[in-house]
Structures are given as structure tokens and as C-alpha cells.
Amino acid sequence: MLAFLGFAMVATFLALMMTKRLLPLVALTLVPLGYGILAALLGHFPTAKLGPMMLDGLKTLAPTGVMLLFAILYFALMIDRGLFDGVVAWILRRVKGDPLKVALGTVALTLIVSLDGDGSTTYMICVAALLPLYQRLGMNRLLMTCLMLLSSGVMNLTPWGGPTARAASALHLEPSAIFVPMIPAMLFAIAAIFALAWHYGSRERERLGILTLEVLGNATARPRLLWFNGLLTTGLMACLILALLPMPVLFMTAFGIALTVNCRDLAAQKEQINAHAASVLSVVSLIFAAGIFTGILSGSGMVEAMSKSLLAIIPDALGPHLAVFTSLISLPFTFFLSNDAFYFGMLPVLSEAAGHYGISPIEIARASLIGQPVHLLSPLVPSTYLLVGLARVELGDHQRFTLRWAVLVSLALLLGALLVGVFPWQGTLVGGK
């Protein structure tokens, strides 16, 4: 019953988001609370445990909420002060107002920046550089968030990315041994993303035409502080990559310095913060509401029950195809569950079962990575809230626009993996279960 409640809770939330029946903030709070109360009334746990569950979820996501708050304020300040005007002007001169080139450039830039393995940093840099360009050309911002998320999802498979590291840890493998054979499959997926960018970029070119744009000045820019802001941002990115301090602390410190230097008097500082207060509130409130969602989903035992229910219904006929089966279920289950729940809870069991058919743990580990482009659309992924917040789009709109393409890119990744043989289509029974 807990598994059913867990799946129903996630499905209810998604339905409410995609049909726009409730605000994400409200749905993330009330939907899990309702299902949590129902689970308690059915005797799965005492009602008194609901409060601690929700607090645990809030505590877990509190650092992320603080980081996003100050990250949005910091990059908003940098954009307002013209730090990225030069980048936009350079891109404008190269793309010459062609939406097709902008779409292709979005994928290329995100793939390069994603090499750092951190989705939040990638989104902050790429949105800051490209959002002004999309606005100037009148292009659909949902296209930008879609291409960035898909590109980041594929590059998230690097050994220093979260999924590969988790799979390696869960099955006691070397991350590089999982990753290197996956590179050709990743190229298949990247080709699919570029094809998608070409498709939508061509449509945007037909809708908007190839525009001649002048590089306009920024009324709030501070040319004299350009070098200071550039050095501060470069230093911040270096500290993030080197993990010298926790991300919330780094962004709080950087924003404090930037605000003090760029806005000399108290009134200007208040005005700068107030100008972006709505964007900050909408994103940070979602993060804390997601804490309620994840707290109840995990603390109630729903995640564990969902995992066991899946494993219990695997028919014997699927045994030889467990590698492909693992890759396919990674799409919905890394969406419904956290990466930790999937890789540390389900993957070892799947690997043990696959071993009876001569399918090695390293092949199951590679198969488990296929669903990552879909995973990033999950309401359990904090960086997705940052992406939609910076791009100023609705989470439900983003999910509805991107989901089918995320599935397509995951299938392209699967096709590439099967063609290059990084895991088998079919194993052979080598021992009794």
C-alpha cells in the first residue's frame, strides 16, 4: 500500500503541475501532506512522525535554498551591472540575429560548461549569458531551458558527476571504468540534442526571421567596475569548482562584496534587492516546499516500498534482458525517486539478479545511467528550480515542454549504448536464482 501511495503522490503532483490546477509551492506542500496523513491513518506509521519527517526534509534542503537565494541575487546584480553585455554583444555579432544559430550555440555552450559536473553552476553561467540574447530576439525561453537541461543531463554522466559516482559506489566499481565506454553512447545523445536544437531553431527562424540587432547599452551598467565584477565572478567560480567553502557560504560572501562595491549607499542596495525579490521568493519557496515533499516521501518509507514493489513484479522472462530493463526503468524511477534511493537502494538488487544471467555489475551500472536526462526534470532535483527561476519560466511549463524530448534523448543514449555494446541486449542463464 505504501508503494501505491508513493506513486499516487508523485502522479498527483505532476498532474496538478501540468494542468496548472495549483501553484507548485502549494502542491509541493499539500499533496505530500495529504498522502502522509492518509498513510498514517492506514497505520503505516504514527501521525506524530509526520512533523519530524517534514522538518528533516527542510533541514536537508535548507543549504540548497540559501545557496539559490544568494546565487540568484548575485547573478541578477552582475547582469544589471553589464558584466555579460560583452558576451551577448560578441554572440550577437556571430549569430547575426539568427535563432537557429542561437539554439545550436545554446547546446554547445551548455555542453562545455557542464564539464564541471555541477548543474547549478552550469545553469547560472549559461542562463546569465544567453537569457538576454533570447529576450532580445524574442525567442521562446522554454526552448532555452529544454536544451540546457538535456545537455546537462547527458554531461552529468562524467565520473565526477553524481550518478556515475553513486553507481560506482553502490557496486564497488571504478567510475572511469563505467564512464569511458559510455562516451560513444553519449555522442549519440548529443547528436539527438543538436538535431532537436536544429528543429526548434529552424521553427524560431521561420517565426522571427533573421533579425538585425543593434547592441544596446545597459542603463544600469557600471563600466568602471567591469573588471572588478569579472574578477570577482571568476574567483567565485574557481572557489566553487575547488570546493574551498560550502556553496551557500561562497554565494553569501560574494553577494555581500558585490553589493557593497556596486551599490555604495543603503538606498541603492535596498533597491537592487527589491528589484529581484519576486524571483528570489518564487524559487526559494519552492525549494523549502520540496523539502516537505522529499521528507514525507523518504521518511514514510514510500521510497523503499516503491523500490521493492518494482523488484517484486519483475517476471522471469525479463531476466536475460535485465540490462535493458534497468536502463528503461531508470527513466521513471530516477524521476520518481532521488538518485540516492535508486542507486543505493535498487541498483544492488538489480545487479545481483542480473549476475545470474552473466550480466556483470559494470554493465548494469552503465545501464542505470540511461535515465539521467529525464531525472533532471524531477521535482526532487534542486538545480531544476534554479534553472526555471533564472529563466523566469513556470516549472509546469518547463516539464510539459521538455519531458517528451528528455525521453527521446534517453532512448538515443540507450540506442547508442546497445550499438557499441556497453551492456548486452540479452544475457544467458548461468545459475539458478
Side-chain angles (χ1 to χ4, degrees):
M1 178 57 92
L2 265 181
F4 172 78
L5 291 175
F7 287 120
M9 185 171 84
V10 175
T12 301
F13 171 76
L14 291 176
L16 291 171
M17 288 302 91
M18 294 188 177
T19 57
K20 296 187 176 181
R21 298 295 177 87
L22 282 179
L23 289 172
L25 170 64
V26 178
L28 281 168
T29 305
L30 297 186
V31 170
L33 182 58
Y35 278 95
I37 292 172
L38 180 58
L41 291 175
L42 291 173
H44 292 288
F45 53 84
T47 307
K49 287 190 174 181
L50 267 177
M53 287 179 198
M54 292 186 280
L55 284 178
D56 287 342
L58 289 172
K59 291 174 185 176
T60 301
L61 290 184
T64 301
V66 174
M67 183 274 292
L68 294 181
L69 188 157
F70 286 96
I72 293 172
L73 287 175
Y74 179 85
F75 281 100
L77 175 60
M78 291 298 108
I79 291 172
D80 289 346
R81 294 304 179 263
L83 177 62
F84 301 102
D85 285 358
V87 175
V88 174
W90 183 85
I91 296 174
L92 279 173
R93 287 194 292 270
R94 296 302 182 275
V95 303
K96 298 179 180 176
D98 188 348
L100 173 58
K101 293 181 180 178
V102 173
L104 295 172
T106 300
V107 177
L109 178 63
T110 308
L111 290 172
I112 293 170
V113 178
S114 292
L115 286 171
D116 70 351
D118 182 76
S120 296
T121 304
T122 297
Y123 295 148
M124 287 184 286
I125 294 173
C126 293
V127 174
L130 292 172
L131 179 60
L133 185 60
Y134 273 75
Q135 291 175 321
R136 291 281 301 279
L137 292 171
M139 292 179 65
N140 186 357
R141 294 196 300 273
L142 289 172
L143 173 59
M144 180 184 74
T145 58
C146 172
L147 295 176
M148 286 183 182
L149 181 135
L150 297 179
S151 302
S152 179
V154 173
M155 296 304 292
N156 204 28
L157 305 189
T158 54
W160 50 91
T164 303
R166 285 179 174 88
S169 299
L171 300 182
H172 309 289
L173 303 167
E174 281 293 325
S176 59
I178 298 173
F179 167 72
V180 174
M182 287 291 292
I183 292 175
M186 291 171 63
L187 294 177
F188 271 83
I190 289 171
I193 299 172
F194 272 113
L196 178 64
W198 184 280
H199 168 70
Y200 271 108
S202 299
R203 289 176 56 175
E204 289 290 86
R205 177 196 273 177
E206 291 177 6
R207 182 173 70 90
L208 300 169
I210 299 177
L211 308 179
T212 302
L213 298 178
E214 297 180 3
V215 180
L216 303 177
N218 184 340
T220 59
R222 299 287 188 273
R224 290 179 294 123
L225 295 174
L226 185 62
W227 286 107
F228 172 82
N229 288 334
L231 289 173
L232 179 63
T233 302
T234 302
L236 172 61
M237 291 298 107
C239 291
L240 287 171
I241 294 170
L242 296 174
L244 296 183
L245 287 171
M247 289 181 71
V249 176
L250 286 172
F251 274 106
M252 290 176 72
T253 304
F255 177 68
I257 295 171
L259 187 66
T260 302
V261 173
N262 285 270
C263 305
R264 297 297 179 87
D265 61 84
L266 192 61
Q269 293 174 6
K270 289 182 178 179
E271 182 181 353
Q272 175 65 35
I273 293 174
N274 290 339
H276 301 281
S279 298
V280 171
L281 178 62
S282 64
V283 174
V284 176
S285 62
L286 283 177
I287 290 298
F288 287 114
I292 302 294
F293 192 98
T294 57
I296 291 178
L297 191 66
S298 299
S300 65
M302 290 181 189
V303 165
E304 184 180 356
M306 292 162 76
S307 301
K308 290 181 178 178
S309 69
L310 170 74
L311 297 176
I313 63 173
I314 297 177
D316 291 339
L318 276 178
H321 306 288
L322 269 174
V324 175
F325 179 73
T326 298
S327 68
L328 291 175
I329 65 167
S330 71
L331 275 71
F333 270 80
T334 57
F335 184 92
F336 291 137
L337 310 178
S338 67
N339 268 343
D340 287 337
F342 180 75
Y343 286 105
F344 294 116
M346 294 185 63
L347 189 59
V349 181
L350 290 166
S351 177
E352 176 67 22
H356 294 288
Y357 296 90
I359 303 172
S360 67
I362 200 165
E363 291 169 328
I364 290 294
R366 293 170 189 152
S368 71
L369 301 175
I370 297 299
Q372 283 305 301
V374 175
H375 165 71
L376 291 185
L377 277 174
S378 169
L380 306 178
V381 179
S383 64
T384 301
Y385 295 104
L386 176 64
L387 174 62
V388 298
L390 291 173
R392 300 165 198 164
V393 301
E394 292 292 332
L395 175 63
D397 292 338
H398 171 61
Q399 289 175 321
R400 187 165 52 252
F401 184 93
T402 307
L403 181 58
R404 54 183 169 167
W405 302 121
V407 172
L408 178 64
V409 170
S410 290
L411 293 178
L413 191 60
L414 171 59
L415 176 62
L418 291 173
L419 288 176
V420 300
V422 298
F423 54 81
W425 163 257
Q426 179 173 321
T428 303
L429 184 65
V430 295
K433 285 191 176 181

